[in-house]
Amino acid sequence: MSVATRETAGQAVTLEDIERAAERIRVLAKKTPVLRSRLFDQAAGIQTFFKCENLQRGGSFKIRGALNFLLSLSPEERKRGVVTFSSGNHAQAVAIAADYLGVAATIVMPTDAPKAKLEPTRAYGPKIVFFDRLRESREEIAEKLAAETGAVLLPSFDHPWIMAGQGTAVLELLHEYPELDAILTPLGGGGLFSGTLIVAKALRPGIRVFGVEPELASDWHQSLQRGERVEIAPPPTIADGLRTTAPGKSTFPVVQALADGIVLVSEEEIKAAVRFLLTRMKMLVEPSGAVAAGALLASKLPQGIRSAGVILSGGNVDLDVLAAICSEA
Amino acid sequence: MSVATRETAGQAVTLEDIERAAERIRVLAKKTPVLRSRLFDQAAGIQTFFKCENLQRGGSFKIRGALNFLLSLSPEERKRGVVTFSSGNHAQAVAIAADYLGVAATIVMPTDAPKAKLEPTRAYGPKIVFFDRLRESREEIAEKLAAETGAVLLPSFDHPWIMAGQGTAVLELLHEYPELDAILTPLGGGGLFSGTLIVAKALRPGIRVFGVEPELASDWHQSLQRGERVEIAPPPTIADGLRTTAPGKSTFPVVQALADGIVLVSEEEIKAAVRFLLTRMKMLVEPSGAVAAGALLASKLPQGIRSAGVILSGGNVDLDVLAAICSEA
């Protein structure tokens, strides 16, 4: 395990870490717009504020964590290069950030990664190593590569620097709209959700924060019910960014301590949300990025919440997947 | 023919008319955002400024002209109600504006109007009369209805008040970005293009302004070559908003006098532009609305133009049409 990971493992992330990350990532990450839609508010019955990370550089929020990680390394560590693993958006983010900073990057990707995520990643020139998502462990492959080459392992979510970076999206949202009753984020490995929980509860102790995951990928829901990290089989959900099989070691305790609940959405609810955002708001959001909007459209929040911030976490979707989603309407 | 049409037929539209229209329509029309895309600029080789009328109320620029027309009528005329004809976006705009102002509206629509345009129109409660686009004349049906009921005929493009209303989009664009080398708009009946020409050439005599129409619907291109309005057969282009069969009587002389050129785009170029805007900019633009972006991506402008304003005129597209466009990639 790399120096960077050793030094910070188990270290709690604070509001100050997230504020410092926000300063750091300004060189490359966009302050994304917060959009409203009268039609969505009518359909959901809740005033909704969309934080549009689908319009972020690289098409998802992942640049925030990747950039914060790379900029937190020492110059010596950056020289050794990084190894990471990802189904797509994190891969593209690391490729962009590493290219910008002149850091050598090796990326372990599943053979069935969406083309919309693979091709732009490749364009930034990292070394790409493929693995079989159903038979091999991407963590093991990445750790082996890191050990062999001396490169720093850059986790896709399970690290304080990543969590702090991802928390900057909601830091921006709450600076712009401090009075929200609730915040909803998609929930895969928990990097975005844990960063969000830390910043939101520090700035607004009374705010309610929910993670949203597909019914087909309910590792978080099961883990919180059992009180320990549960591992599930590779989930077949259309939300390819939320196909993680277990909560992260660093993210789980944060979620356990601070989350107000996990909301589950069906595949149909996810696709309906993609279609609503597309046809009514004219905006492309990938299935993983639309789960929180899906939860609102399906009225899955507890009573009494009148305004909600929703992270639209990404917009990278293959055209054949999008064609199928449109055809099913 | 109604009082309103008689009084203003043939009357020249001025910059002042467009500025007054801009004041008038503020009650309901949005000042739409102007968006940039590094990826588009790289692909087109031109700095491009997108005026996002796909994000306009009703999903297209048409609310500008419809609202300006209704607000220019006398209270007595408004009481008589209006009759209009449209393949969709103008219909929806008239329905929204008439509902807002409490004016009775009858709308003549083709039987094959896109559902994405028909359904939202219906929701605002106008009377809808269908006609067969290939066999009947919508103008004649609308004129007959107006004569029978005493309602005011509200043309979809061929009227100074409509032209002035549509010109407000580029008025906003040029206030925000006064230094553009060129402007491109989609070209159907010519309401948007003629309004654009008047405002752009008045504010910036040196600016170059191009209308873009499908190769399959080249009535303007043919008309300008011949020096008179040419009528074509109902064109089978995917750009359903640009299926007009001839230039308008009021719009033709303006275009003849002021336009720098007509650019033709193929069906493939239109679809490629829809896909580019969708996957790279995460934005839904309908085929008719994407023709000007298609012209830039296909490098169809004369040399020497370094910056261009592009009107993305609408975002209302049926999901089955979108699925087909996505599947063809």
Side-chain angles (χ1 to χ4, degrees):
Chain A
M1 194 161 275
S2 81
V3 178
T5 313
R6 239 189 299 117
E7 275 173 1
T8 55
Q11 191 182 298
V13 177
T14 64
L15 175 61
E16 289 67 37
D17 293 329
I18 297 171
E19 285 170 339
R20 271 196 297 271
E23 290 295 327
R24 233 178 250 131
I25 68 173
R26 264 189 209 162
V27 288
L28 192 61
K30 289 186 197 168
K31 184 167 179 291
T32 51
V34 177
L35 299 185
R36 307 286 319 271
S37 162
R38 205 171 39 92
L39 293 171
F40 189 95
D41 289 1
Q42 282 170 1
I46 286 178
Q47 285 202 302
T48 308
F49 298 77
F50 292 103
K51 180 67 174 167
C52 294
E53 292 293 298
N54 58 326
L55 305 179
Q56 182 56 267
R57 199 173 294 278
S60 90
F61 71 98
K62 292 281 190 176
I63 191 81
R64 297 174 181 272
L67 199 55
N68 188 49
F69 189 100
L70 290 175
L71 290 170
S72 299
L73 290 173
S74 69
E76 187 276 325
E77 287 169 324
R78 278 204 286 273
K79 258 183 224 149
R80 284 157 47 198
V82 293
V83 177
T84 194
F85 47 86
S86 163
S87 70
N89 280 337
H90 173 68
Q92 189 173 342
V94 171
I96 293 171
D99 179 56
Y100 178 78
L101 297 172
V103 175
T106 302
I107 301 176
V108 180
M109 292 187 82
T111 45
D112 63 348
K115 280 190 293 292
K117 297 180 177 178
L118 174 59
E119 296 306 332
T121 302
R122 215 194 277 276
Y124 286 92
K127 185 176 170 193
I128 297 181
V129 175
F130 288 101
F131 78 104
D132 181 338
R133 189 167 61 85
L134 302 178
R135 292 203 188 81
E136 299 174 89
S137 157
R138 61 187 193 174
E139 288 86 349
E140 279 171 24
I141 295 171
E143 278 169 20
K144 191 159 161 265
L145 284 168
E148 281 168 13
T149 62
V152 176
L153 191 68
L154 197 171
S156 60
F157 53 83
D158 211 359
H159 192 284
W161 295 347
I162 301 290
M163 293 156 69
Q166 317 304 33
T168 60
V170 163
L171 183 68
E172 290 171 8
L173 174 63
L174 285 174
H175 278 170
E176 208 168 333
Y177 294 99
E179 303 296 333
L180 298 171
D181 290 343
I183 290 178
L184 287 83
T185 85
L187 181 47
L192 176 63
F193 189 41
S194 60
T196 295
L197 282 163
I198 292 161
V199 70
K201 296 288 183 173
L203 289 173
R204 288 273 320 286
I207 201 168
R208 297 166 81 179
V209 184
F210 301 88
V212 185
E213 65 181 356
E215 288 173 359
L216 291 181
S218 64
D219 49 329
W220 280 95
H221 176 72
Q222 293 178 43
S223 297
L224 289 170
Q225 282 203 318
R226 289 239 219 128
E228 61 180 7
R229 293 164 59 235
V230 169
E231 176 136 12
I232 60 171
T237 174
I238 192 170
D240 60 272
L242 310 180
R243 285 181 190 150
T244 44
T245 54
K249 279 177 204 150
S250 312
T251 57
F252 185 67
V254 175
V255 172
Q256 215 176 11
L258 298 177
D260 290 281
I262 307 296
V263 178
L264 299 178
V265 288
S266 71
E267 298 295 292
E268 266 322 304
E269 286 162 351
I270 296 170
K271 290 184 252 183
V274 170
R275 286 191 293 261
F276 193 103
L277 296 165
L278 191 59
T279 59
R280 310 296 177 86
M281 294 179 62
K282 317 301 177 194
M283 197 156 59
L284 181 61
V285 180
E286 63 184 277
S288 309
V291 292
L296 284 184
L297 286 174
S299 302
K300 294 205 167 173
L301 283 201
Q303 294 290 310
I305 291 170
R306 285 180 304 179
S307 65
V310 161
I311 314 295
L312 300 178
S313 59
N316 298 322
V317 51
D318 278 353
L319 282 170
D320 54 350
V321 172
L322 188 61
I325 292 173
C326 292
S327 300
E328 281 174 31
Chain B
M1 194 160 277
S2 81
V3 177
T5 313
R6 240 188 298 116
E7 276 173 359
T8 55
Q11 190 181 300
V13 178
T14 64
L15 175 61
E16 291 66 38
D17 293 328
I18 297 171
E19 285 170 340
R20 270 197 297 272
E23 290 295 327
R24 234 177 249 132
I25 68 173
R26 264 188 207 163
V27 289
L28 192 60
K30 289 185 197 170
K31 183 167 180 290
T32 51
V34 178
L35 299 185
R36 307 286 319 271
S37 162
R38 203 171 41 91
L39 293 169
F40 190 95
D41 289 0
Q42 282 170 2
I46 286 179
Q47 285 202 302
T48 309
F49 298 76
F50 293 103
K51 179 68 173 166
C52 294
E53 291 294 298
N54 58 326
L55 305 179
Q56 182 54 271
R57 201 172 293 280
S60 90
F61 72 97
K62 292 280 191 177
I63 190 80
R64 297 174 181 272
L67 200 55
N68 188 49
F69 189 101
L70 290 175
L71 290 170
S72 299
L73 290 173
S74 70
E76 187 276 324
E77 286 170 323
R78 277 204 285 275
K79 259 184 224 146
R80 284 157 48 198
V82 293
V83 177
T84 194
F85 46 85
S86 162
S87 71
N89 280 336
H90 174 68
Q92 189 173 343
V94 171
I96 293 171
D99 178 56
Y100 178 80
L101 297 171
V103 174
T106 302
I107 300 175
V108 181
M109 291 185 84
T111 46
D112 63 347
K115 280 190 294 293
K117 297 179 177 178
L118 173 60
E119 295 305 332
T121 302
R122 213 193 279 275
Y124 286 92
K127 185 177 171 190
I128 297 180
V129 175
F130 288 99
F131 78 105
D132 182 338
R133 187 167 63 85
L134 303 178
R135 294 203 186 80
E136 299 174 88
S137 157
R138 60 187 193 173
E139 288 85 349
E140 279 171 23
I141 295 172
E143 278 169 19
K144 190 159 165 265
L145 283 167
E148 281 168 14
T149 62
V152 176
L153 191 67
L154 197 170
S156 60
F157 52 85
D158 210 359
H159 192 283
W161 295 346
I162 301 289
M163 293 157 67
Q166 317 304 32
T168 60
V170 164
L171 183 67
E172 291 172 7
L173 174 63
L174 284 175
H175 278 170
E176 206 168 334
Y177 294 99
E179 303 296 333
L180 298 171
D181 289 344
I183 290 178
L184 287 83
T185 86
L187 181 46
L192 176 63
F193 189 43
S194 60
T196 295
L197 283 163
I198 292 161
V199 70
K201 297 287 183 175
L203 289 173
R204 288 270 322 283
I207 201 168
R208 296 166 80 181
V209 184
F210 302 88
V212 186
E213 66 180 355
E215 288 172 1
L216 291 181
S218 63
D219 48 329
W220 280 95
H221 175 72
Q222 294 178 44
S223 298
L224 289 172
Q225 283 203 318
R226 288 239 220 127
E228 60 180 7
R229 293 165 60 236
V230 170
E231 176 136 13
I232 60 171
T237 174
I238 192 170
D240 59 272
L242 309 180
R243 285 181 190 150
T244 43
T245 54
K249 277 176 204 152
S250 313
T251 56
F252 184 68
V254 175
V255 172
Q256 216 176 9
L258 299 177
D260 290 279
I262 307 295
V263 178
L264 299 177
V265 288
S266 71
E267 298 295 293
E268 267 322 304
E269 286 162 351
I270 297 171
K271 290 185 251 183
V274 171
R275 286 191 293 261
F276 193 103
L277 295 165
L278 191 59
T279 59
R280 309 297 176 85
M281 293 179 62
K282 317 301 177 193
M283 199 156 58
L284 182 61
V285 180
E286 62 183 281
S288 309
V291 293
L296 284 185
L297 287 175
S299 303
K300 294 204 168 173
L301 283 202
Q303 293 290 311
I305 290 169
R306 285 181 304 179
S307 65
V310 162
I311 314 294
L312 299 178
S313 59
N316 298 322
V317 51
D318 277 354
L319 282 171
D320 54 349
V321 172
L322 187 61
I325 292 173
C326 292
S327 299
E328 281 174 31

